[in-house]
Amino acid sequence: MAIFSVYVVNKAGGLIYQLDSYAPRAEAEKTFSYPLDLLLKLHDERVLVAFGQRDGIRVGHAVLAINGMDVNGRYTADGKEVLEYLGNPANYPVSIRFGRPRLTSNEKLMLASMFHSLFAIGSQLSPEQGSSGIEMLETDTFKLHCYQTLTEMPIRCELFDQNLKLALEVAEKAGTFGPGS
């Protein structure tokens, strides 16, 4: 059981605290010769695999590094455009590392806001008066638990961070949320 992230959202739907507490999922690295047998596309300022999954590389994975140098969005660490670099046969053979793209701060805000909207709709549509709304969403790959808080202001406290991380470690070791949570 792993706890991937913690989001604290206030009553108005604003994200007041967010913590990623997971190690990145398995990444795939492979050395390619020209021409590249994957179709890469630019999407939301990231270079993503659009077609040609194989060897642990999946559609939707982002290019994370080229020849050991990190990729930031559409650019390599030294400022070259990834698609332009990979389009040049002189740069081959090339080693590319792929993995799930990390969420941007803006995407985290949007997710928190969308979940709050679903929570509010669930509370209003419930036939029970005073329903607490969504308690858990379950898919085949994760469970999303929802706990209510009275906190309204952003949380900026080192002691809070330390205690939350300690609580997450204890919960993971104890398996508090059950298998697959």
Side-chain angles (χ1 to χ4, degrees):
M1 193 251 343
I3 298 171
F4 297 112
S5 295
V6 174
Y7 288 78
V8 179
V9 181
N10 66 17
K11 287 187 216 176
L15 181 63
I16 59 175
Y17 183 82
Q18 191 278 323
L19 171 74
D20 287 323
S21 68
Y22 65 97
R25 293 182 187 260
E27 298 172 347
E29 188 162 357
K30 184 164 177 42
T31 301
F32 294 90
S33 57
Y34 190 81
L36 196 62
D37 56 353
L38 299 170
L39 177 61
L40 303 176
K41 295 263 181 164
L42 187 62
H43 181 71
D44 288 339
E45 292 301 309
R46 294 183 185 125
V47 178
L48 303 177
V49 176
F51 182 80
Q53 52 182 47
R54 66 187 188 107
D55 301 325
I57 302 167
R58 303 277 178 244
V59 169
H61 277 186
V63 174
L64 302 177
I66 297 176
N67 293 332
M69 288 191 343
D70 286 342
V71 168
N72 300 314
R74 65 191 300 180
Y75 298 99
T76 61
D78 58 356
K80 298 176 187 166
E81 280 207 35
V82 171
L83 292 176
E84 188 176 302
Y85 182 86
L86 294 175
N88 184 350
N91 294 326
Y92 287 80
V94 65
S95 175
I96 307 174
R97 188 178 64 205
F98 296 90
R100 289 195 61 196
R102 296 215 180 266
L103 294 176
T104 65
S105 297
N106 193 42
E107 290 169 329
K108 291 174 184 178
L109 288 169
M110 290 185 331
L111 283 174
S113 178
M114 282 189 280
F115 181 75
H116 178 268
S117 299
L118 291 173
F119 173 82
I121 291 169
S123 298
Q124 295 295 317
L125 293 178
S126 174
E128 291 290 322
Q129 198 66 10
S131 170
S132 63
I134 297 171
E135 291 181 10
M136 182 179 64
L137 291 174
E138 185 173 355
T139 73
D140 59 345
T141 57
F142 71 92
K143 291 180 185 175
L144 180 104
H145 297 268
C146 178
Y147 302 102
Q148 294 185 38
T149 179
L150 299 176
T151 308
E152 287 296 321
M153 299 301 295
I155 300 168
R156 293 186 185 99
C157 175
E158 193 172 321
L159 186 58
F160 179 82
D161 285 341
Q162 291 170 356
N163 286 328
L164 178 61
K165 289 175 184 175
L166 180 63
L168 291 175
E169 288 174 14
V170 170
E172 285 185 23
K173 288 178 185 171
T176 304
F177 300 111
S181 291

